[in-house]
């Protein structure tokens, strides 16, 4: 059992929680809590840490999964130091990062009408995680993010995805304009959420392959990015509200596409 915060494994885990650079260098991220452990693909888990007081409970719930994994017991006070949550649940694991490419994702385009959401410089980890969760629920095929968007492997983002991070393909790109052009060349229509839109979002047909562009929480889309879209779409608002939260706007647009496709 690990009883010291100075243990090498503990230090490495704390570094993974705190530093994107370390996560990228090692190709790993940290998952906390029973639900997120339970949903994590077993083949991607490299190590599990269990708090001493939670051992019996975790084996009772996840014994079959734990039996095939490398597990370390950790003293409660040490586990509390390595945890990123206020109330640790007693289980934490290291998971290999996923890597996707747009060419593989687009191979499905001949078989189905695809749905994408493209994010430019979303900064809040909670927003990003919520968008992923909604994306899975609405049937999104891929989340595409600018390189300056928050890190999907940030612990707060991971928690906010509620497991969607394991199942929704995603990629970061340096040049959104190039990826938008690639989608359009594949016959995918691109709509930008924009305050300057002439029409509201429900004026368009999203039953064919569609991508939505969502911009930064404070500044929206850069004009050069918005100019790449096939059309700008607005969301009606009353009162003195100037804009909606990025995750809320994403949900409205994705569920309009979902509604249209279900209703045919």
């Amino acid at each position: 059992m690990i009883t010291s915060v100075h243990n090498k494994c503990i230090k490495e885990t704390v570094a993974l929680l705190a530093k994107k650079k370390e996560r990228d260098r090692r190709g790993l991220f940290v998952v906390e809590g029973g639900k997120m452990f339970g949903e994590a693909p077993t083949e991607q888990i490299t190590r599990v840490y269990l708090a001493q007081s939670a051992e019996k409970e975790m084996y009772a719930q996840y014994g079959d999964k734990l039996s095939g994994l490398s597990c370390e017991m950790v003293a409660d006070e040490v586990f509390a130091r390595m945890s990123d949550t206020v109330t640790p649940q007693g289980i934490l694991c290291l998971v290999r990062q996923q890597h996707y490419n747009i060419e593989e994702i687009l191979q499905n385009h001949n078989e189905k009408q695809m749905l994408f959401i493209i994010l430019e410089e979303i900064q809040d980890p909670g927003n990003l995680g919520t968008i992923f969760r909604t994306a899975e629920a609405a049937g999104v095929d891929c989340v595409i993010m600018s390189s300056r968007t928050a890190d999907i492997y940030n612990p707060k983002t991971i928690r906010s995805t509620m497991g969607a991070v394991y199942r929704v393909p995603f990629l970061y790109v340096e040049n959104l304009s190039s990826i938008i052009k690639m989608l359009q060349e594949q016959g995918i229509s691109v709509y930008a959420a924009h305050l300057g839109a002439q029409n509201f979002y429900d004026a368009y047909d999203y039953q064919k392959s569609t991508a939505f562009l969502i911009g930064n929480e404070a500044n929206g889309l850069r004009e050069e990015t918005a100019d790449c879209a096939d059309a700008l779409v607005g969301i009606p608002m009353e009162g003195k509200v100037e804009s909606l939260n990025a995750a809320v706007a994403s949900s409205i647009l994705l569920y309009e596409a979902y509604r249209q496709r279900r209703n045919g």
Side-chain angles (χ1 to χ4, degrees):
M1 182 170 69
I2 298 175
T3 59
S4 171
V5 294
H6 301 296
N7 177 279
K8 180 182 177 182
C9 293
I10 303 302
K11 288 183 175 180
E12 288 177 347
T13 301
V14 170
L16 286 172
L17 283 164
K19 300 176 182 177
K20 178 182 185 302
K21 184 177 180 180
E22 189 67 12
R23 292 192 289 269
D24 291 344
R25 184 183 73 82
R26 296 184 62 194
L28 297 172
F29 64 102
V30 180
V31 165
E32 286 196 64
K35 181 182 187 305
M36 291 296 290
F37 166 74
E39 294 189 14
T42 303
E43 67 277 9
Q44 291 174 225
I45 297 173
T46 64
R47 180 169 294 183
V48 181
Y49 295 98
L50 296 172
Q52 184 180 12
S53 62
E55 178 185 8
K56 290 183 180 179
E57 178 187 353
M58 292 303 154
Y59 269 99
Q61 291 188 55
Y62 306 108
D64 289 344
K65 188 169 186 174
L66 287 168
S67 63
L69 294 168
S70 173
C71 298
E72 293 275 4
M73 202 64 57
V74 182
D76 288 354
E77 61 273 18
V78 176
F79 193 93
R81 291 283 296 274
M82 70 190 295
S83 172
D84 186 63
T85 59
V86 176
T87 308
Q89 294 182 36
I91 187 166
L92 177 155
C93 64
L94 307 187
V95 183
R96 293 189 187 91
Q97 294 184 5
Q98 287 278 81
H99 298 284
Y100 304 90
N101 67 70
I102 191 63
E103 290 80 10
E104 289 181 356
I105 292 165
L106 286 172
Q107 286 178 0
N108 294 322
H109 188 228
N110 293 329
E111 302 172 8
K112 60 177 291 192
Q113 301 303 324
M114 303 188 76
L115 183 60
F116 296 82
I117 187 158
I118 305 172
L119 308 175
E120 183 174 57
E121 299 184 18
I122 299 298
Q123 295 298 297
D124 183 78
N127 270 345
L128 182 58
T130 300
I131 291 170
F132 263 75
R133 188 177 178 186
T134 305
E136 180 180 19
V140 165
D141 293 283
C142 182
V143 178
I144 300 172
M145 298 168 280
S146 66
S147 58
R148 295 179 64 182
T149 293
D151 181 20
I152 185 59
Y153 294 121
N154 178 298
K156 293 179 181 178
T157 311
I158 292 294
R159 287 196 295 273
S160 296
T161 70
M162 295 297 287
V165 67
Y166 303 135
R167 299 178 291 269
V168 179
F170 61 88
L171 57 141
Y172 286 89
V173 296
E174 290 292 334
N175 190 323
L176 281 185
S177 299
S178 295
I179 206 78
I180 292 168
K181 183 178 179 181
M182 178 186 293
L183 295 179
Q184 289 168 327
E185 289 173 348
Q186 293 290 321
I188 299 166
S189 298
V190 179
Y191 299 91
H194 201 281
L195 294 176
Q198 296 294 312
N199 297 310
F200 292 139
Y201 69 93
D202 57 356
Y204 297 91
D205 181 0
Y206 307 126
Q207 295 185 67
K208 295 183 179 180
S209 289
T210 297
F212 292 114
L213 271 166
I214 301 290
N216 173 268
E217 293 94 336
N219 303 310
L221 291 165
R222 293 184 302 153
E223 286 306 310
E224 54 265 42
T225 304
D227 287 345
C228 294
D230 295 293
L232 305 181
V233 298
I235 297 174
M237 293 176 286
E238 301 291 338
K240 296 183 179 180
V241 174
E242 295 182 355
S243 63
L244 294 178
N245 172 279
V248 172
S250 299
S251 299
I252 291 170
L253 297 178
L254 291 175
Y255 265 89
E256 175 61 16
Y258 182 71
R259 182 194 68 79
Q260 289 186 17
R261 293 172 182 210
R262 282 203 65 178
N263 294 340

